[in-house]
Amino acid sequence: MKVVLLGYMASGKSTVGKELASKNNVAFIDLDQEIEKQENLSIAEIFSEKGEIYFRKKETEVLKRLLQEDKNMVLSLGGGTPCYGNNMQLVNESNYNSFYIKLSIPVIVARLTNEKTTRPLVAQIGVADLPEFVGKHLFERNTFYQQAKHTITADSLTVAETVTQIEELV
């Protein structure tokens, strides 16, 4: 099982990824956590101390390394990862199955409203402004997300149902 999960923040990439990996007895790797481990800094610290350009270069470097390992795993990308460099090309040229976990704006907004304190990107955005912020981001990122080999529309799916749909397509 070689799976890459992508999608907007709060789409469930990590939750689904952990469940999928556990159920299939393979490693789960979160790209952001892998970068943090390598840099010995949090993502927020990397952005603050070294800047976004440095982070994006490091992100592509770590992604490339992981995809070249060619081992069974479930890899969860950051929400912005597909949109930078040649990251989607790297994913699609690998022998991994990529899945876009797609959610509607209202579902994402509801999840982010409950997670605002743990999401630095939206922590300072008022609840009333979240739908516009998410909609704009999704519009900008959609072309990249749509490059995934498979799309799972997960608005009304449980984690287990999402995992099952992915397993049926792997």
Side-chain angles (χ1 to χ4, degrees):
M1 171 169 286
K2 297 174 181 179
V3 170
V4 175
L5 300 177
L6 55 116
Y8 198 68
M9 73 176 121
S11 63
K13 299 178 300 285
S14 294
T15 305
V16 168
K18 288 174 187 170
E19 179 68 26
L20 179 65
S22 171
K23 191 173 171 193
N24 290 278
N25 202 28
V26 298
F28 170 75
I29 298 175
D30 178 284
L31 183 63
D32 283 348
Q33 288 177 355
E34 197 68 17
I35 295 166
E36 289 176 335
K37 201 166 43 176
Q38 185 175 314
E39 292 292 301
N40 203 23
L41 294 167
S42 72
I43 298 300
E45 289 169 330
I46 296 169
F47 267 76
S48 165
E49 294 175 20
K50 299 183 177 190
E52 183 177 6
I53 292 171
Y54 177 87
F55 171 77
R56 295 299 176 191
K57 285 181 180 174
K58 188 59 58 180
E59 180 180 55
T60 299
E61 176 187 303
V62 174
L63 174 63
K64 191 177 207 174
R65 177 180 55 79
L66 289 169
L67 292 173
Q68 287 172 343
E69 286 179 10
D70 194 32
K71 65 179 186 179
N72 289 329
M73 72 170 135
V74 176
L75 174 61
S76 172
L77 304 183
T81 305
C83 312
Y84 292 92
N86 60 342
N87 292 342
M88 276 312 297
Q89 182 181 342
L90 291 172
V91 169
N92 287 331
E93 289 175 354
S94 73
N95 60 350
Y96 285 77
N97 265 307
S98 55
F99 290 86
Y100 167 29
I101 301 176
K102 182 178 182 179
L103 294 177
S104 66
I105 293 169
V107 171
I108 292 170
V109 168
R111 289 183 182 186
L112 286 176
T113 300
N114 296 327
E115 301 173 7
K116 273 177 65 71
T117 55
T118 62
R119 304 278 185 178
L121 192 61
V122 296
Q124 305 304 317
I125 296 171
V127 175
D129 296 326
L130 264 180
E132 183 181 348
F133 178 85
V134 171
K136 181 179 175 285
H137 255 163
L138 277 176
F139 178 78
E140 292 168 349
R141 294 178 174 189
N142 194 45
T143 9
F144 299 98
Y145 291 164
Q146 292 297 330
Q147 292 175 38
K149 291 177 184 161
H150 307 282
T151 298
I152 306 287
T153 303
D155 275 356
S156 59
L157 300 179
T158 65
V159 171
E161 290 167 335
T162 305
V163 166
T164 299
Q165 280 200 17
I166 292 170
E167 287 175 321
E168 289 170 356
L169 292 166
V170 172

